[in-house]
Amino acid sequence: MDACFQAFDKDGDGYLDIEEFRFLTRALFRNDRGKIYHLEEQKLAEVFNVFDLNDDGKIDKDEFTFCWNHWIKIIVRPISAFLIVDVQNDFISGTLNISNCSAQQNGLDVIDPINKLLETVKFDAVFYSLDWHPSDHVSFIENIGEREIDPSSPVTAENAKTYDTVIFSGSPPQKQRLWPRHCVQDTWGSELHKDLKLVDNAIKVYKGTNPDVDSYSVFWDNKKMTDTTLCAQLRLRNATDIYICGLAYDVCVGATAVDALAIGYRTILLDDCSRGVDLTDIEKTKNTVITNSGVIVNSSQVKAMVEGRDRRPELGYKLAMELKATLNEKTEETSN
């Protein structure tokens, strides 16, 4: 740490000003071939201000210690979790085969690149999620007559078709997209595809188990009433970075990535390891991830990122903003 501080304290005054900090970020944010990633000017200033704890326009040695321990070390030595979402039979060749949806993408396409990552990249933790529905699940169009449709619903029970969105009565009324019966617990359709590599010590996370609430995100159900085991498992492993992929890109993969970002994780979406339902919704998913300081990459880029040799400024900015939020919360608690 001391050597790093001295290396970028160009004028030797015992502080890092924003220009010296800029040189630090140029050394920090680069790929494994030495290409420099530039941090936008506004974001550079925002990050600098996070570590200028006393707002004097410079980072002293104590402030740099905080920066080193809570920012630089995580960027250089991230703790990675690989989350493989719902690569199950029904989404590939079963009742909800996504190749029959409007995007006409083949779920089988994700298996080879995912397997290659599992064989070649040393993730700190690997998770497989599974849609795990009871037979009377609210999302199944076959069950449309089992629940009362709210008067505000744009579609009636009699006219509802697969992929329509209805509104069920309740407090509050519940919007629900209708799918074919899929991934029913303990059936062939709910099993992970036979060609997907299963690694030792991986953790399976089951979602969608409540018959009355759907669950796209692997973190919790769509109403955010009940969480899965994922949050606790990630905290237990001190994970900093989550690599997310699987099926379907614009549904469960996308919802999981958005939640990971909202919770505060550095989130990486794997484009060639994901396939989806609707091309427009896939693009919306990508835009949402990028807008919220997530990163979208192909599997060929993952190994260097996991090993800390390819360090993206978007993820560094995300981490800095999470630190800022934590510091602000502590300040508010102290003032109260």
Side-chain angles (χ1 to χ4, degrees):
M1 183 190 76
D2 291 341
C4 180
F5 185 85
Q6 292 169 8
F8 293 101
D9 179 16
K10 300 294 185 181
D11 58 10
D13 66 351
Y15 301 93
L16 298 184
D17 60 28
I18 194 164
E19 287 304 314
E20 291 167 328
F21 190 74
R22 186 196 312 277
F23 281 110
L24 185 153
T25 62
R26 286 172 61 85
L28 187 61
F29 297 127
R30 54 179 64 198
N31 68 13
D32 53 330
R33 296 180 299 279
K35 176 186 174 182
I36 295 171
Y37 298 120
H38 293 282
L39 186 62
E40 297 172 17
E41 197 67 26
Q42 179 182 341
K43 291 184 176 180
L44 173 71
E46 290 181 65
V47 173
F48 180 84
N49 289 336
V50 171
F51 302 114
D52 177 17
L53 298 173
N54 61 5
D55 296 322
D56 64 353
K58 51 193 176 183
I59 296 174
D60 62 28
K61 193 66 176 293
D62 288 339
E63 291 168 332
F64 185 75
T65 299
F66 176 78
C67 175
W68 176 269
N69 288 327
H70 296 277
W71 194 60
I72 295 174
K73 283 174 68 174
I74 291 173
I75 292 169
V76 174
R77 297 175 184 172
I79 299 174
S80 61
F82 187 23
L83 176 53
I84 302 161
V85 178
D86 299 0
V87 183
Q88 294 166 269
N89 289 326
D90 267 344
F91 297 126
I92 295 173
S93 58
T95 58
L96 188 38
N97 182 344
I98 65 166
S99 66
N100 295 326
C101 297
S102 63
Q104 297 184 328
Q105 296 188 344
N106 190 342
L108 273 176
D109 292 344
V110 308
I111 292 178
D112 283 348
I114 289 174
N115 285 349
K116 186 174 181 180
L117 286 174
L118 291 169
E119 292 163 359
T120 59
V121 180
K122 190 175 181 180
F123 295 100
D124 294 294
V126 175
F127 297 85
Y128 299 88
S129 80
L130 295 93
D131 243 9
W132 199 249
H133 297 314
S135 60
D136 58 346
H137 196 255
V138 66
S139 72
F140 298 166
I141 190 168
E142 294 86 351
N143 297 333
I144 187 68
E146 296 183 9
R147 294 169 179 84
E148 182 182 352
I149 298 290
D150 194 81
S152 65
S153 178
V155 180
T156 65
E158 293 75 22
N159 295 329
K161 301 185 296 295
T162 305
Y163 310 125
D164 280 348
T165 297
V166 299
I167 300 175
F168 290 113
S169 296
S171 297
Q174 177 181 335
K175 184 181 290 187
Q176 177 64 54
R177 192 172 185 182
L178 300 173
W179 306 97
R181 187 185 303 274
H182 63 279
C183 298
V184 175
Q185 297 169 6
D186 297 313
T187 64
W188 171 86
S190 65
E191 294 173 4
L192 295 173
H193 193 276
K194 64 180 178 61
D195 293 335
L196 180 67
K197 180 179 177 64
L198 300 180
V199 297
D200 294 336
N201 300 317
I203 298 164
K204 291 181 179 178
V205 181
Y206 297 88
K207 62 186 181 66
T209 59
N210 184 336
D212 296 316
V213 185
D214 213 350
S215 184
Y216 292 164
S217 171
V218 184
F219 286 97
W220 40 57
D221 65 58
N222 289 2
K223 287 187 174 181
K224 290 185 167 56
M225 296 191 307
T226 306
D227 62 358
T228 65
T229 62
L230 182 59
C231 278
Q233 294 286 354
L234 290 169
R235 285 195 299 268
L236 186 65
R237 289 158 178 77
N238 296 315
T240 60
D241 295 16
I242 304 182
Y243 293 80
I244 302 173
C245 66
L247 307 173
Y249 205 142
D250 47 328
V251 187
C252 296
V253 173
T256 302
V258 169
D259 281 347
L261 287 163
I263 293 168
Y265 287 106
R266 289 161 30 110
T267 302
I268 304 95
L269 192 54
L270 307 187
D271 191 58
D272 61 330
C273 296
S274 303
R275 292 292 183 269
V277 171
D278 180 88
L279 292 176
T280 299
D281 289 341
I282 290 171
E283 288 306 309
K284 288 179 181 177
T285 295
K286 292 180 181 180
N287 290 336
T288 300
V289 168
I290 292 169
T291 299
N292 288 281
S293 301
V295 172
I296 302 173
V297 302
N298 284 326
S299 57
S300 60
Q301 300 166 287
V302 169
K303 184 177 175 65
M305 294 180 71
V306 168
E307 294 175 352
R309 296 181 290 109
D310 185 342
R311 303 181 291 269
R312 304 298 177 102
E314 301 94 332
L315 301 180
Y317 176 78
K318 172 66 175 174
L319 177 58
M321 293 304 101
E322 292 302 319
L323 289 171
K324 177 182 178 180
T326 300
L327 290 170
N328 288 342
E329 288 174 5
K330 289 181 178 178
T331 300
E332 290 177 7
E333 289 173 2
T334 302
S335 62
N336 292 333

